[in-house]
Amino acid sequence: MNSAELRAAVRARNGIATTGEGLAGHTDIDEAIVAALSDIAGEHRWPWLATSTTITFQASDGKSASLPAFTQIRALEIGEAPVPSVSLDEFLHRDRLYVYADLGDALAIYPTPENDTSATLYFFQPEPALETDESSPLLPEAWHRVLVARASYHLNARRGRSD
């Protein structure tokens, strides 16, 4: 289902007219769907959220220029060789060669490369924003009924607070 179909399914499950009611308008239902997607994505490291991208570590400081949105890093490889993750403390002590640490806004590798170095980052991504009515979540179709039920929970919890 796309965003418009999910919204219609939440309306149908909750008996809400298409004109909306109180805190169950178009925007409120969309926010409930986003909250439900966030809940489901946060429960487990789902395979449909696993992906990879190429990042580049700068020769100047060994840091990545930019990172994609991720919820958890799975692995980092440079030249098909795995690079182990270490804590920030261990990274700063420089006790081990060929490691990386998550600095929050960047990843850093040690030792600092002599040239800009490409790496493959494997990670779990968050569900993308449903920006248009045609947008669909990464969540497989088989899970959409669970999504509608969870969105209904969020919507009714919100509606209950206004009574």
Side-chain angles (χ1 to χ4, degrees):
M1 285 189 261
N2 63 28
S3 185
E5 293 165 333
L6 287 168
R7 190 179 318 108
V10 171
R11 284 187 193 286
R13 181 179 177 99
N14 292 280
I16 300 169
T18 54
T19 56
E21 73 173 57
L23 289 178
H26 187 86
T27 303
D28 301 301
I29 294 172
D30 286 349
E31 289 173 359
I33 291 169
V34 168
L37 279 170
S38 178
D39 288 350
I40 294 168
E43 283 294 316
H44 188 69
R45 298 296 166 229
W46 302 109
W48 59 82
L49 296 176
T51 190
S52 65
T53 192
T54 300
I55 62 172
T56 301
F57 290 98
Q58 308 300 313
S60 59
D61 60 6
K63 293 181 182 177
S64 61
S66 63
L67 289 177
F70 66 87
T71 57
Q72 182 181 20
I73 295 174
R74 294 176 61 197
L76 179 70
E77 288 184 347
I78 297 177
E80 298 184 18
V83 180
S85 173
V86 295
S87 70
L88 182 57
D89 288 339
E90 188 173 347
F91 180 80
L92 294 174
H93 283 41
R94 312 230 188 271
D95 292 335
R96 295 173 48 190
L97 289 179
Y98 307 110
V99 295
Y100 81 92
D102 183 352
L103 304 180
D105 62 343
L107 297 182
I109 57 172
Y110 176 77
T112 302
E114 293 179 13
N115 300 307
D116 288 356
T117 302
S118 293
T120 303
L121 178 67
Y122 298 91
F123 61 98
F124 290 98
Q125 63 186 327
E127 278 282 354
L130 302 177
E131 296 177 353
T132 68
D133 282 350
E134 292 76 34
S135 299
S136 295
L138 296 174
L139 183 75
E141 188 84 24
W143 288 79
H144 286 193
R145 287 179 38 187
V146 172
L147 173 59
V148 169
R150 187 65 183 175
S152 296
Y153 160 78
H154 279 286
L155 186 64
N156 286 306
R158 175 184 292 209
R159 290 168 65 193
R161 286 194 305 257
S162 68
D163 293 343

